[in-house]
Amino acid sequence: MLLKGKIAIITGASRGIGESIARSFIAQGATVAFTYIGSTERAVELEESLTAEGGQARGFKSDASKMEDAEHLVKEVLDAYGGVDILVNNAGITDDTLLMRMSEDQWDRVINVNLKSCFNLTKSVLRTMLKARSGSIINISSVVGVKGNAGQANYAASKAGILGFTKSVALELGSRNIRSNAIAPGFIETEMTEKLDEATVQGWREGIPLKRGGTPEDVANACVFLASDMSSYVTGQTLNVCGGMVTA
Ligand code: NAP
């Protein structure tokens, strides 16, 4: 029970990596407030399944790209549970195309959901974490943010921006015992990747040193480590969970 008594907010946890993080946090004794944007049915099912296992969990429909929603969410969580110890900025989208064809709207939407959301949520939990002189903020970036990717200029920029944000928050808030770290997953097999052609996916698997795509649980395990006191001397870092795709 590495997270016993801790209260966590996880954005974008109705499915995929976020859902797995929510399940792992509950298994480690945390209380979980998670968000989603459109998957109300999945969110209700998840809330029921997490509470059936004896955990305390609640889903909130909340647009991470909107400051107003973030502030409202944190207020509701504080009213319900009295604090926030862990924030996982996981909500993310892709809208891929070559730069030549990318519209301003495609750029703005991806930057807002993936990067501005980190600013919105982090700023909204700051006061309560500062008061507690404790907190762990985990931002889900991507190896694409580390090395770039053709056809994903918007996504790569948002994920690289998260890395700069993570380091700056770590420098600003270390003296208050608030830690800020990023996870950069590689190719993780979720609904986000299910839409892809199987032959292409197999080619990717073969190019990964560990010869497989990652699972949402691989990312969730890293998240538990960074959320817990096991990582109490770790801040400002990026943990690549990518089967060796990135080695620096
Ligand atoms: P996913 O299966 O598509 O799930 C995305 C989640 O984000 C859903 O719960 C979705 O809610 C939520 N969401 C989308 N827009 C939102 C918004 N504006 N406000 C709040 N929630 C929102 O994605 P995933 O593969 O699990 O990815 C999770 C994170 O890991 C993302 O940040 C992604 O960029 C990153 N990542 C993924 C991979 C990979 O290979 N899968 C690799 C590197 C990094 P609804 O269900 O309501 O739409």
Side-chain angles (χ1 to χ4, degrees):
M1 287 283 187
L2 289 170
L3 305 177
K4 199 165 171 46
K6 305 270 190 198
I7 297 150
I9 292 179
I10 307 166
T11 65
S14 46
R15 54 199 163 92
I17 292 171
E19 176 184 344
S20 186
I21 296 169
R23 291 191 184 282
S24 300
F25 277 19
I26 288 283
Q28 294 297 334
T31 293
V32 170
F34 69 89
T35 72
Y36 61 98
I37 184 83
S39 307
T40 306
E41 231 171 87
R42 300 261 315 240
V44 170
E45 277 169 24
L46 179 64
E47 189 181 300
E48 284 172 0
S49 134
L50 294 175
T51 43
E53 288 159 25
Q56 212 176 350
R58 201 167 137 198
F60 296 84
K61 184 167 181 158
S62 178
D63 186 343
S65 69
K66 297 208 170 103
M67 178 58 99
E68 203 187 344
D69 281 25
E71 285 171 345
H72 184 68
L73 168 75
V74 171
K75 188 184 175 308
E76 284 202 82
V77 172
L78 290 177
D79 288 347
Y81 305 122
V84 180
D85 304 294
I86 303 157
L87 168 66
V88 184
N89 285 309
N90 168 75
I93 57 167
T94 53
D95 195 346
D96 303 348
T97 191
L98 294 173
L99 191 56
M100 281 285 286
R101 296 201 196 103
M102 191 174 290
S103 68
E104 188 180 353
D105 181 59
Q106 278 176 300
W107 174 269
D108 287 344
R109 218 165 67 80
V110 170
I111 296 290
N112 287 340
V113 175
N114 296 4
L115 177 59
K116 183 164 181 270
S117 59
C118 296
F119 167 74
N120 292 343
L121 270 297
T122 304
K123 204 159 154 55
S124 300
V125 298
L126 262 192
R127 189 167 298 162
T128 184
M129 285 188 176
L130 283 169
K131 223 162 114 191
R133 292 189 83 82
S134 158
S136 174
I137 298 162
I138 302 161
N139 300 314
I140 307 299
S141 174
S142 167
V143 292
V144 163
V146 178
K147 62 196 191 87
N149 199 21
Q152 288 196 308
N154 50 0
Y155 184 78
S158 72
K159 295 299 184 181
I162 285 176
L163 300 181
F165 178 74
T166 302
K167 291 175 201 173
S168 305
V169 171
L171 296 175
E172 277 189 36
L173 298 171
S175 64
R176 311 296 179 93
N177 195 33
I178 298 170
R179 299 183 295 109
S180 164
N181 291 288
I183 293 175
F187 174 53
I188 308 298
E189 303 203 29
T190 66
E191 280 171 42
M192 196 184 240
T193 58
E194 259 170 28
K195 304 165 205 155
L196 303 164
D197 161 66
E198 178 56 25
T200 310
V201 168
Q202 191 50 32
W204 288 354
R205 289 187 192 113
E206 278 155 22
I208 296 168
L210 286 181
K211 301 291 172 207
R212 66 170 178 90
T215 64
E217 292 71 31
D218 289 324
V219 180
N221 289 339
C223 226
V224 168
F225 168 69
L226 290 175
S228 77
D229 293 340
M230 295 281 286
S231 60
S232 57
Y233 202 52
V234 179
T235 194
Q237 305 303 308
T238 302
L239 182 47
N240 298 317
V241 179
C242 62
M245 271 169 96
V246 167
T247 50

